[in-house]
Amino acid sequence: MVGRMRGGAMDFEDRLATLPRVRGDRDDDGNETRTGTVWTATAHIITAVIGSGVLSLAWAMAQLGWVTGAVTLVLFAAITLYTCGLLADCYRVGDPVTGKRNYTYTEAVKSNLGGWYGCFCGFCQYANMFGTCIGYTITASISAAAINKSNCFHWHGHDADCSQNTSAYIIGFGVVQVLFSQLHNFHKLWWLSIVAALMSFSYSTIAVGLSLAQIVTGPTGKTTMTGTQVGVDVDSAQKVWMTFQALGNVAFAYSYAIVLIEIQDTLRSPPAENETMRRATVMGISTTTGFYMLCGCLGYAAFGNAAPGNILTGFGFYEPFWLVDFANACIVVHLVGSFQLFCQAIYAAVEEAVAARYPGSTTREHGAAGLNLSVFRLVWRTAFVAVITLLAILMPFFNSILGILGSIAFWPLTVFFPVEMYIRQRQVPRFSTKWTALQSLSFVCFLVTVASCAASVQGVLDSLKTYVPFKTRS
């Protein structure tokens, strides 16, 4: 690995000339050549960001109201865009072209901050990825069940009992993920992310279109500047809890930083990875924020303070039923890709740790050419998906789970670590204006995280009062 260049006067082309030439299918560090571009990175970002979170934004707007809701969406986007730019600069240590590469978020934190920061980051990142896999499994199963519900409502009327047991759908989604989990090497999943990104555009556009049609044709729900009204829609305690839970749902909608470094590690170089990643982040966040504003605001305008927790599966829309079916099918396909986007990072971490301790155990493959399988990979990845599937069956609470996941990821991974690494890299003087501004941003986001996490846990506890395991119906 090329060390940090001295002098600081070399321009970009001079520094590129110092890099080892890529030979065959190997990169400058000896690993397989990376082929990612700004477009594939943008597809990965859209796949990671526009997920199940977009479906809850009309409900979040209903809790927050026109003013706070719209401002919250814009602020979270701005914070994410800024801090992800800081994080992209941490992919390499020192020089952005020749510095040592960090292959994971945790490695970046260890390289820049060291000590307990690396352990704390690893815990936050992988715990959230694990939880996100559960959240996506729940959401995909609810959407799959909604297809049958939509058909039932169409043929038997809107008052018919069309509820579905979601456990069977969760198991079916798990089986699909077992098969896809045998695809190894994160950068080889670019095609899955592009398909998933197209699906996310599709169902987001459908949700926007159906909301707009509802607004035009009516009837529409009652909206207010402050959202749900105390004494009319909710009591005072519920208003507080729901407001904080809504913040967690919005935070979850922007929780892409946890896989930013992993996505950046798929990018080819030159140009420098941080430059490409910044461009991809601007494109990805801008695109998703536009969809979020449309889905959240139009959904709220259509259904008002009674907006469902999931705009496409809460059956604010019944007709045209085939379009609702298609939208939910797109959600299922999209979440197949999103699930892999998050779990592949977990797979890589575990398999690298095992390979370091037991060399050859994870790479020994069996089977004919083109159908090689590692026994370790087959067993461990199948077991991982099985655990995710079981936990999804046991905790099928959509909005509360999203709120918990969003709050856990937002402050430490989207704000705290990027800010701390920036301060350490740039040696920002303690108590200077910039240091104070950055630490104030981090502290405010910490308060939001604590409040939204507490509210989401409260939501889960309320749901557990009437919950019967394995018999949840959607």
Side-chain angles (χ1 to χ4, degrees), residues 201-273:
F201 274 121
S202 298
Y203 70 72
S204 297
T205 302
I206 291 170
V208 169
L210 290 175
S211 297
L212 186 60
Q214 184 73 26
I215 294 170
V216 172
T217 61
T220 59
K222 179 183 178 181
T223 65
T224 62
M225 299 302 288
T226 57
T228 51
Q229 295 177 294
V230 176
V232 178
D233 305 301
V234 292
D235 59 36
S236 57
Q238 288 176 322
K239 177 65 176 179
V240 173
W241 287 122
M242 292 300 185
T243 297
F244 288 140
Q245 188 175 324
L247 293 177
N249 277 231
V250 175
F252 178 79
Y254 284 105
S255 59
Y256 124 78
I258 61 176
V259 291
L260 183 146
I261 296 294
E262 283 77 4
I263 292 175
Q264 193 166 347
D265 191 47
T266 68
L267 298 176
R268 66 190 179 201
S269 179
E273 297 90 349

Side-chain angles (χ1 to χ4, degrees), residues 125-196:
Q125 185 185 20
Y126 293 110
N128 189 264
M129 287 180 178
F130 183 83
T132 299
C133 289
I134 296 173
Y136 282 175
T137 302
I138 294 169
T139 308
S141 65
I142 292 174
S143 292
I147 295 174
N148 278 337
K149 288 175 66 177
S150 175
N151 295 333
C152 174
F153 285 132
H154 175 73
W155 295 111
H156 301 290
H158 298 174
D159 295 326
D161 180 11
C162 296
S163 59
Q164 304 281 320
N165 189 320
T166 57
S167 297
Y169 296 97
I170 292 175
I171 293 171
F173 185 79
V175 171
V176 172
Q177 292 303 335
V178 167
L179 299 177
F180 274 102
S181 290
Q182 297 311 311
L183 297 174
H184 55 102
N185 292 337
F186 187 71
H187 69 276
K188 292 184 178 179
L189 294 178
W190 62 268
W191 60 270
L192 186 60
S193 279
I194 290 176
V195 171

Side-chain angles (χ1 to χ4, degrees), residues 4 82-97 99-102 105 107-114 261 264 274 278 416-429 434-435 438-439:
R4 184 181 305 177
Y82 177 70
T83 57
C84 285
L86 302 182
L87 184 57
D89 290 339
C90 299
Y91 175 67
R92 289 185 183 266
V93 178
D95 193 281
V97 177
K100 174 184 175 295
R101 285 163 52 185
N102 295 301
Y105 196 144
E107 277 189 40
V109 173
K110 287 180 179 177
S111 297
N112 287 279
L113 299 176
I261 296 294
Q264 193 166 347
N274 64 330
R278 280 178 175 273
F416 175 73
F417 288 118
V419 165
E420 292 299 317
M421 286 191 286
Y422 175 84
I423 290 174
R424 182 71 62 86
Q425 277 187 336
R426 302 300 175 88
Q427 297 182 342
V428 179
K434 178 173 284 190
W435 184 93
L438 289 171
Q439 294 295 356

